[in-house]
């Protein structure tokens, strides 16, 4: 029997993902070599959520992240408890929620409670890259209220937030990693709360952006996991890819604030397949080396043999995002759901 290239791709993708993922009953990782997908909705040509869930099931994805409690997506997930979902609290809702614990209870009753029986809600993230920033101080009180709520209900739902590498004032070499003053003010109390609850901080790590900002001085193979050579030597630690260097710089910064051994989840990473000339091609975006790195379980030089949990960004190209690379981070074409490149 002959299969189309698309079906063969999906078959091999499902095999790889199923081999690399293992979950406990709460939907979080026990054997931490796990890859999920971000499911963004900023497009006017996206498939229906029910068809997207069918795609995830077909290719063996068991972990997704959505950016707000979208009712249509959550309804499509009913009965599919083998897919663990991370649900975001919208940035624009933070002010009202930070001002009132009753408002947080109302938000939970409206957006989470109706789905608990048949949707595997593994985590709630409070804000997306709002720390450091003008509304960054609103994150902690909302996290505290949600943490108290899920604890009082004995619900196995992780409460955290998503932050960017912009929290670092310095990241090179990794051991010099240090937070900005505003990050110390807004992020460190969040990290201390997460330490108390043994919950991970979610960090967006994109090797593409430092490479694109300085391609003359950052090697492409260093940015895309395509070399085994040590490119950056940082004391006893040697780095052959910039992803590990960025990850460890954040770890170093946390340790300098007294936060040690806190788990980190890579909430977003990816490479655009178009939008910036020769720096963004399907061949570069689809080399698959990040997936191999995660599946290897070898961790980073600072956290060796400590598997990394990560979400690729994103499932589809989204045509309502800013024109350019932002529209081209998707693995799939939204109109026909075919892979844009052979990731694996």
């Amino acid at each position: 029997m002959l299969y189309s290239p698309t079906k063969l791709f999906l078959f091999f993708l499902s095999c790889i993902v199923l081999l690399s993922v293992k979950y406990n009953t709460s939907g979080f990782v026990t054997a931490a070599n796990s890859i999920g997908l971000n499911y963004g909705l900023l497009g006017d040509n996206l498939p229906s959520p029910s068809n997207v869930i069918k795609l995830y099931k077909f290719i063996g994805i068991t972990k997704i992240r959505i950016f707000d409690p979208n009712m249509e997506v959550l309804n499509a997930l009913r009965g599919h408890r083998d897919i663990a979902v991370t649900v975001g609290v919208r940035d624009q809702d933070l002010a009202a929620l930070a001002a009132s614990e009753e408002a947080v209870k109302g938000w939970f009753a409206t957006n989470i409670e109706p789905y608990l029986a048949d949707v595997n809600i593994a985590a709630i993230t409070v804000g997306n890259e709002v720390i450091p920033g003008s509304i960054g101080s609103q994150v902690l009180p909302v996290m505290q209220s949600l943490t108290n709520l899920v604890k009082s209900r004995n619900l196995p739902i992780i409460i955290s937030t998503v932050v960017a590498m912009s929290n670092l004032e310095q990241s090179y070499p990794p051991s010099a990693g240090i937070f900005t003053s505003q990050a110390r003010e807004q992020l460190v109390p969040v990290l201390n709360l997460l330490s108390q609850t043994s919950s991970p901080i979610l960090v967006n790590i994109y090797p593409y952006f430092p490479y694109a900002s300085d391609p003359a001085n950052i090697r492409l193979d260093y940015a895309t996991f395509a070399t085994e050579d040590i490119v950056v030597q940082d004391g006893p630690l040697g780095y052959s890819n910039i992803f590990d260097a960025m990850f460890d710089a954040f770890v170093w910064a946390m340790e300098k604030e007294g936060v040690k051994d806190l788990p980190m989840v890579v909430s977003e990473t990816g490479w655009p397949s178009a939008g910036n000339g020769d720096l963004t091609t399907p061949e570069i975006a689809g080399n698959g080396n990040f997936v191999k790195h995660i599946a290897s379980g070898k961790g980073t030089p600072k956290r060796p043999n400590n598997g990394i949990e990560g979400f690729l960004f994103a499932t589809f190209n989204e045509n309502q995002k800013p024109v350019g690379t932002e529209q081209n981070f998707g693995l799939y074409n939204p109109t026909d759901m075919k892979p844009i490149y052979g990731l694996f």
Side-chain angles (χ1 to χ4, degrees):
M1 182 181 294
L2 296 177
Y3 293 92
S4 70
T6 298
K7 287 185 176 180
L8 284 172
F9 168 84
L10 295 174
F11 172 75
F12 287 120
L13 173 56
S14 66
C15 290
I16 290 172
V17 173
L18 286 170
L19 285 171
S20 66
V21 178
K22 181 180 179 183
Y23 282 82
N24 60 24
T25 55
S26 71
F28 268 75
V29 171
T30 54
N33 306 325
S34 175
I35 298 167
L37 289 179
N38 282 275
Y39 180 8
L41 294 167
L42 294 179
D44 60 12
N45 59 351
L46 298 174
S48 68
S50 60
N51 282 334
V52 176
I53 302 308
K54 289 177 184 176
L55 171 66
Y56 291 147
K57 301 278 283 189
F58 187 70
I59 63 176
I61 289 295
T62 55
K63 182 179 61 173
I64 66 171
R65 174 180 169 233
I66 58 177
F67 294 81
D68 63 84
N70 182 279
M71 184 182 302
E72 193 175 358
V73 173
L74 289 169
N75 279 324
L77 283 163
R78 290 187 185 275
H80 300 294
R81 292 192 59 85
D82 54 332
I83 298 178
V85 58
T86 294
V87 180
V89 178
R90 300 187 309 167
D91 299 348
Q92 57 265 44
D93 293 337
L94 292 180
L97 296 177
S100 166
E101 191 163 357
E102 288 304 310
V104 171
K105 292 178 180 177
W107 180 92
F108 190 91
T110 299
N111 296 293
I112 303 297
E113 182 80 36
Y115 307 100
L116 289 177
D118 49 5
V119 177
N120 184 1
I121 297 177
I124 298 171
T125 55
V126 178
N128 184 43
E129 294 191 345
V130 298
I131 295 176
S134 60
I135 63 172
S137 61
Q138 298 168 359
V139 171
L140 181 61
V142 180
M143 284 183 59
Q144 288 173 323
S145 295
L146 282 170
T147 298
N148 293 339
L149 193 158
V150 299
K151 184 178 179 180
S152 70
R153 298 275 302 276
N154 198 29
L155 295 171
I157 299 175
I158 297 295
I159 307 299
S160 190
T161 188
V162 175
V163 298
M165 293 296 292
S166 58
N167 280 275
L168 296 184
E169 182 176 293
Q170 185 171 342
S171 61
Y172 181 86
S175 63
I178 189 171
F179 290 132
T180 67
S181 59
Q182 191 174 34
R184 284 196 295 274
E185 177 185 339
Q186 296 179 349
L187 179 58
V188 173
V190 168
L191 298 175
N192 289 331
L193 174 62
L194 293 173
S195 295
Q196 294 168 16
T197 60
S198 300
S199 303
I201 181 68
L202 281 72
V203 185
N204 294 341
I205 301 179
Y206 284 96
Y208 165 74
F209 291 114
Y211 172 73
S213 69
D214 193 13
N217 292 305
I218 298 177
R219 289 167 42 175
L220 178 60
D221 58 356
Y222 180 60
T224 58
F225 305 88
T227 181
E228 295 293 329
D229 297 340
I230 299 301
V231 178
V232 171
Q233 189 68 45
D234 184 9
L237 304 180
Y239 291 86
S240 60
N241 67 81
I242 197 171
F243 174 90
D244 284 354
M246 296 169 74
F247 187 103
D248 281 357
F250 202 97
V251 173
W252 277 106
M254 289 196 295
E255 289 189 356
K256 288 170 185 171
E257 300 300 328
V259 179
K260 300 182 184 296
D261 301 320
L262 185 70
M264 271 176 59
V265 169
V266 180
S267 37
E268 296 177 25
T269 192
W271 197 286
S273 61
N276 191 14
D278 292 342
L279 303 187
T280 52
T281 67
E283 291 74 23
I284 297 174
N287 69 29
N289 290 333
F290 169 75
V291 173
K292 295 173 188 174
H293 184 63
I294 296 298
S296 74
K298 66 182 182 181
T300 68
K302 184 158 176 59
R303 289 186 172 179
N305 304 314
N306 190 352
I308 299 170
E309 182 183 359
F311 291 80
L312 287 170
F313 188 89
T315 304
F316 300 106
N317 281 345
E318 298 171 65
N319 65 4
Q320 292 178 328
K321 300 194 82 170
V323 174
T325 57
E326 289 292 316
Q327 293 188 355
N328 291 285
F329 274 92
L331 276 70
Y332 292 90
N333 187 315
T335 56
D336 58 14
M337 297 179 70
K338 291 182 178 179
I340 292 170
Y341 47 79
L343 180 62
F344 300 98

